[in-house]
Amino acid sequence: MDAASTEALLKSFRKKPLFDKDQLPVTLNYGEADIKKIIPHRSPLLYVDKLDTYDPNEGLMAGRRLIAKDDPVFLGHFPDFAVYPGNFTVESIGQLGLCMYYFVANNRNDIADDAKPIQLRATRIMGALFIEPILPGDEVVLLAKRLSFDGYFATVIGQAIVRGKVAVVTCGEVMIID
């Protein structure tokens, strides 16, 4: 995907959700302990709290992240107007995409007891738009949509939605090492 196509794709989703999370066919109820089984991230850099819904055929997943009011990041970003860093939000969307990759790659709607975290390397952020601030105490709805998974590279577009508005839309790629 070239830069112009990526920019056009991102702009097309800066005002409306990628999909209606409540219409996805598979309901999930996975929290932090389960998420740690399938992606390598750990606190304080684990940025997905819950996996909510999933569509295996379309490659769609919805999850959540609660932004703690006392997160230490707000001491420096910014003391007079606390706003959650955009790069952390891009990371949370990417992590949701990795969770989706686990389900798609393993052709599952559940997390296996013997699941192992995906080994990967981020290769690029193709673009990101920061539209609304994410504030202390916000519950962020995370949406991820598969653009391509070829078994080696995975590309996802995703959004962070707060207070009913798209806050961030981004597109990124990772290389799967497994």
Side-chain angles (χ1 to χ4, degrees), residues 17-31:
L18 286 164
F19 54 86
D20 181 349
K21 67 181 183 60
D22 297 326
Q23 298 299 313
L24 300 188
V26 179
T27 299
L28 304 171
N29 188 23
Y30 291 118

Side-chain angles (χ1 to χ4, degrees), residues 39-115:
I39 66 173
H41 304 78
R42 298 296 180 263
S43 182
L45 299 174
L46 178 60
Y47 294 138
V48 178
D49 297 332
K50 296 275 292 174
L51 302 178
D52 294 325
T53 56
Y54 170 59
D55 185 327
N57 297 321
E58 297 298 319
L60 307 171
M61 183 169 273
R64 286 180 274 155
R65 166 111 170 114
L66 178 62
I67 306 301
K69 289 182 180 182
D70 62 350
D71 189 317
V73 74
F74 295 123
L75 296 173
H77 200 272
F78 298 99
D80 295 329
F81 179 61
V83 62
Y84 200 66
N87 60 321
F88 290 2
T89 307
V90 168
E91 176 67 21
S92 61
I93 294 165
Q95 288 181 20
L96 182 70
L98 293 175
C99 291
M100 180 177 47
Y101 181 82
Y102 169 82
F103 289 92
V104 170
N106 292 291
N107 195 30
R108 307 183 67 101
N109 291 338
D110 64 339
I111 296 175
D113 292 336
D114 63 347

Side-chain angles (χ1 to χ4, degrees), residues 151-172:
Y152 192 60
F153 287 98
T155 306
V156 170
I157 184 170
Q159 293 173 316
I161 298 174
V162 292
R163 300 175 302 282
K165 295 180 180 178
V166 175
V168 175
V169 59
T170 188
C171 185

